[in-house]
Amino acid sequence: MAIGQFSVGRWLARCIGLGLCAMALVLAGCSSTRVIDNDVRSYSSLKAMPAPPTYRLERLPSQQVDSPFRDMIERLATSALANVGMQRDDRNGTLRLELNAYANAYMPNWPHYSSWNMGFGYGPWGWAPGFGYGGSWRDMPPTMYVRDVRIVFRNAEGTPVFESTARYDDIWSNDEQIFRSLLQSALEGFPTPPQGERRIRHEIIP
């Protein structure tokens, strides 16, 4: 009888252990994947890929000063454009690219929180702080992060032929991952994306 009880006990312990291991694996898988939604607006008069499929980047006057933020955006944009078949050629590119990116952080004024808020951001390539107060310090809402990109292609005459924006507004703040997904979203369907607004979901492994 003691032997039987011992065997049952070991069997139960093994089952519980396997169950805990399985749960740990599930939780690990969930924690390693993040789902984000990007709001996208795209408009295009292109009927097909330009020939040759090249572009040259044209910086605005406010984008002439080098910065780590600008370098990151241009690097991610070059990769995202290559993934849709567009190659950078700053000497003889068929299309002219105007690239903008913006980042901001704020604390939302939700009814169940105090109305204290703070914001800071940078864009296209510079910083712009801002602060505000209208209530108590009782409860602090989570910081929200806004990131958006805007891609405009013009032809040799300067006429816009493609425009797309993508926006992220949530609590995650990994700029490298977020801007990569935004640029991918803004270029999804290039050169003939669905016209107008849509929401694109990405699964990201942090």
Side-chain angles (χ1 to χ4, degrees):
M1 184 67 176
I3 295 175
Q5 290 175 343
F6 178 74
S7 299
V8 171
R10 291 189 61 183
W11 178 78
L12 288 174
R14 177 172 292 184
C15 289
I16 292 172
L18 290 173
L20 291 174
C21 289
M23 183 178 296
L25 289 172
V26 170
L27 291 175
C30 293
S31 64
S32 64
T33 302
R34 181 176 293 273
V35 176
I36 65 172
D37 293 318
N38 297 326
D39 295 316
V40 179
R41 293 183 180 182
S42 300
Y43 305 92
S44 178
S45 60
L46 295 171
K47 305 301 181 183
M49 290 286 286
T54 58
Y55 66 93
R56 61 182 184 270
L57 177 64
E58 295 187 344
R59 297 176 182 169
L60 299 174
S62 61
Q63 300 171 346
Q64 297 304 309
V65 178
D66 291 334
S67 72
F69 179 62
R70 189 202 68 194
D71 292 342
M72 177 188 69
I73 295 300
E74 291 187 1
R75 170 173 53 82
L76 295 176
T78 299
S79 176
L81 285 162
N83 288 338
V84 297
M86 293 291 290
Q87 300 299 317
R88 182 171 175 175
D89 181 354
D90 287 339
R91 294 178 63 88
N92 302 300
T94 304
L95 299 180
R96 297 156 51 185
L97 171 64
E98 179 182 315
L99 178 64
N100 288 277
Y102 177 77
N104 187 51
Y106 67 96
M107 290 184 179
N109 185 16
W110 293 343
H112 52 287
Y113 289 106
S114 62
S115 58
W116 184 90
N117 60 79
M118 177 184 71
F120 60 90
Y122 44 95
W125 316 117
W127 284 89
F131 303 88
Y133 178 77
S136 69
W137 294 72
R138 183 180 67 255
D139 295 310
M140 300 300 293
T143 301
M144 303 293 290
Y145 298 92
V146 177
R147 303 289 186 263
D148 60 45
V149 297
R150 180 172 181 262
I151 296 172
V152 177
F153 276 118
R154 304 176 188 273
N155 60 20
E157 291 73 35
T159 303
V161 294
F162 178 88
E163 178 186 4
S164 188
T165 62
R167 179 183 177 88
Y168 164 90
D169 188 346
D170 211 327
I171 62 173
W172 198 40
S173 60
N174 187 318
D175 274 353
E176 182 90 10
Q177 296 277 23
I178 292 170
F179 277 112
R180 179 181 289 112
S181 75
L182 285 172
L183 289 161
Q184 291 173 354
S185 297
L187 290 167
E188 187 162 308
F190 181 87
T192 56
Q195 304 287 307
E197 300 181 5
R198 53 190 167 139
R199 172 164 286 191
I200 297 177
R201 172 165 292 184
H202 287 272
E203 289 190 1
I204 295 178
I205 300 177

